[in-house]
Amino acid sequence: MTEEFHRIRRLPPYVFASVNQAKAAARARGEDIIDLGMGNPDSPTPPHIVQKLIESVQNPRAHGYSVSKGIPGLRKALAGYYERRFNVKLNPDTEVIATLGSKEGLANLAAAITSPGDTILVPNPSYPIHQFGFIIAGASVRSIPATPDDTMLRALERAVRHSVPKPTALIVNFPSNPTAYLADLDFYKELVAFARREEIFILSDLAYAEIYFGDLVPPSILAVPGAKDIAVEFTSLSKTYCMAGWRMGFAAGNERLISALTRIKSYLDYGAFTPIQVAAVAALNGPQDCVADIRALYKERRDVLIRGLHAGGWAVPSPEGSMFAWAPIPEPFREMGSVEFSKLLLKEAGVAVAPGLGFGEHGEGYVRIGLVENTQRLRQATRAIRGFLSAHGVKAPPSSASKPESVES
C-alpha cells in the first residue's frame, strides 16, 4: 500500500517547488521580494464587470446549480466576440462551451479524447498543462520545436513518419507562454493543411489573444478555412479582463471535440457560478476600452523591464505579446541552470522569476519574467538585478553609462 498511485507516478517533481520554498522563506524573514515569477494579473477587474457580478449575485435565483456548458447568453457572447474580432462565425449551441478557465478545458478535453498509449505533439517549452493534461490521461508526449515557423512544420512531418502510434493531436499556443512567440495567419494555414492531410486534431490555446504590442495582431486558427474540421481553440477572460481568479474560459470550434468536452464535463461539474457567467457576458458585450488600457499597461511595463535589463548588460528580447519576457540566462550563470540561477537571483537581488526548466527540458537556459508588478516595482527590480549582475562581472553596455536613471528604468 506504499506504492505511489499510477497517474501520480507519471508526474515529475514540481520544478518550481524549490524556488517557491526559497521565496516563502525569504518573506518569512521579512525580506522584500519582488515576485515576477507568477503569471497572475495584479490589476483590478474593470468596474462594470464587478458591478454586474454584484447585481447578479443579489438575485437568489442565481444561487443554484448552473449548467456545465455555460448559460446560453454567455455562449452567444463568446460567438459574438469571435465574429467581431476574428470574422469567425460560431454556432453557440454546438461549437462553443464555457470552461472553468482555459486550463480546466484543456485538461478535461485531454481526458475525453485520449486513450492510453496515444501520441500527442506538444511544443517544448510550453505551459505545463499542455503536456501534463495528456500525460495524466495516459498519452505519450512527443516534443516539437516551439517556434511558429518552418522548423516546427518540418518537425511535425518527421513526427508523423516516425511516431507509433500515429499522433492524434497537436497543441499550439500563440502568443505563447512562456516564450512570447506570436504566429500569423499564414503559419496557421500551413498548420491546418498539415493537420487535415494527416487527420490530426489541433488544440489551440489563445489565452493571450488581446495582449500584443506590435503590428501583428494575434489571429485565431479558426479563421483559416476548413480549420473547424480539425481544430478547437481555448480562450480565457483571465488576462484580457484581469479576471484570473474568476475562472472563466471557453472552448470553440470543431463540433466533435466540443461535444466530447461537453459530455465529460457534464459528469464532472455544474459549471461556473451563474453570477460569474453573467458578469462574463458583461465583459464580452460591454465597452472594450478597458482591454486597450490593459494592453497599454503591459506594453509600458515591458518597455520599463527591457530597458532596465539591457542597461545592466542582460540582453533580453523584447516580447511582442503575452505578459512575459523569455530571458536567456546571462553567460556567467549558464552552467548552473535555470533553477539554481533563479534561486541565486532571489537570494542576492530579491527578485523571483520562473526557471525555464519548469516549462520543459528545452526551456533550460532561460527564465520567464512576468510583467505582473507596477512600473515603480519593475524599476526597483531592474536596479536590484543590475547590481546583482555587476557584482558577478556582467558589464553594462558603454552607451548606458551616460544616460540618466529615469531613461533606463
Side-chain angles (χ1 to χ4, degrees), residues 333 343-351 384-385 387-389 391-392:
F333 311 96
K343 290 162 70 174
L344 185 65
L345 188 66
L346 177 71
K347 177 182 178 182
E348 298 190 9
V351 177
I385 291 171
F388 162 80
L389 294 173
H392 287 272

Side-chain angles (χ1 to χ4, degrees), residues 76-89 241 281 283-286 288:
K76 289 177 183 177
L78 193 278
Y81 162 76
Y82 259 81
E83 187 164 9
R84 292 191 310 271
R85 173 69 164 79
F86 304 113
N87 196 29
V88 170
K89 292 186 181 296
Y241 300 99
V281 174
L284 290 167
N285 290 347
Q288 299 299 300

Side-chain angles (χ1 to χ4, degrees), residues 248-271:
M248 197 73 255
F250 306 91
N254 179 266
E255 286 191 17
R256 184 182 174 196
L257 295 177
I258 296 298
S259 176
L261 180 55
T262 301
R263 185 168 182 180
I264 201 165
K265 276 176 62 62
S266 70
Y267 284 92
L268 297 175
D269 69 69
Y270 286 105

Side-chain angles (χ1 to χ4, degrees), residues 12-304:
Y14 189 54
V15 171
F16 303 110
S18 61
V19 178
N20 289 342
Q21 290 169 1
K23 182 168 56 180
R27 283 179 167 157
R29 294 191 298 268
E31 297 177 21
D32 178 24
I33 300 300
I34 303 175
D35 191 355
L36 308 181
M38 296 290 291
N40 194 7
D42 62 308
S43 299
T45 304
H48 70 281
I49 302 173
V50 176
Q51 187 57 45
K52 179 56 70 172
L53 174 71
I54 294 171
E55 176 187 318
S56 181
V57 82
Q58 290 173 337
N59 179 2
R61 295 177 60 189
H63 295 179
Y65 292 124
S66 188
V67 289
S68 61
K69 190 174 183 178
I71 60 176
L74 179 57
R75 287 182 277 116
K76 289 177 183 177
L78 193 278
Y81 162 76
Y82 259 81
E83 187 164 9
R84 292 191 310 271
R85 173 69 164 79
F86 304 113
N87 196 29
V88 170
K89 292 186 181 296
L90 294 169
N91 184 329
D93 294 322
T94 61
E95 296 178 330
V96 176
I97 182 174
T99 61
L100 306 179
S102 57
K103 184 175 182 178
E104 174 269 322
L106 279 159
N108 277 329
L109 183 57
I113 68 174
T114 302
S115 299
D118 280 355
T119 300
I120 308 297
L121 306 176
V122 182
N124 191 330
S126 69
Y127 187 52
I129 195 63
H130 294 158
Q131 62 172 320
F132 289 113
F134 281 97
I135 288 173
I136 292 169
S140 298
V141 168
R142 178 167 184 150
S143 294
I144 58 171
T147 51
D149 55 22
D150 287 342
T151 302
M152 177 186 281
L153 294 170
R154 289 194 300 269
L156 291 173
E157 297 282 359
R158 291 193 300 272
V160 169
R161 289 198 304 270
H162 301 298
S163 294
V164 178
K166 177 182 175 180
T168 57
L170 159 68
I171 311 295
V172 291
N173 169 217
F174 304 108
S176 172
N177 176 10
T179 63
Y181 296 143
L182 271 66
D184 60 21
L185 197 59
D186 286 340
F187 174 77
Y188 282 145
K189 288 177 181 177
E190 294 194 63
L191 205 63
V192 167
F194 161 81
R196 294 183 70 188
R197 183 174 67 250
E198 300 295 343
E199 298 183 326
I200 295 173
F201 288 120
I202 298 176
L203 279 60
S204 170
D205 183 350
L206 195 61
Y208 295 88
E210 303 304 336
I211 303 181
Y212 55 90
F213 313 123
D215 295 332
L216 177 56
V217 178
S220 164
I221 197 171
L222 300 180
V224 177
K228 285 197 286 185
D229 293 342
I230 45 84
V232 68
E233 190 159 67
F234 292 88
T235 54
S236 169
L237 304 189
S238 295
K239 311 306 189 296
T240 304
Y241 300 99
C242 296
M243 294 173 65
W246 299 55
R247 308 314 303 136
M248 197 73 255
F250 306 91
N254 179 266
E255 286 191 17
R256 184 182 174 196
L257 295 177
I258 296 298
S259 176
L261 180 55
T262 301
R263 185 168 182 180
I264 201 165
K265 276 176 62 62
S266 70
Y267 284 92
L268 297 175
D269 69 69
Y270 286 105
F273 186 36
T274 298
I276 291 179
Q277 297 191 52
V278 172
V281 174
L284 290 167
N285 290 347
Q288 299 299 300
D289 54 332
C290 59
V291 178
D293 291 342
I294 291 167
R295 184 184 307 124
L297 175 68
Y298 283 120
K299 184 179 186 298
E300 179 186 18
R301 291 178 177 185
R302 177 202 68 168
D303 294 344
V304 167

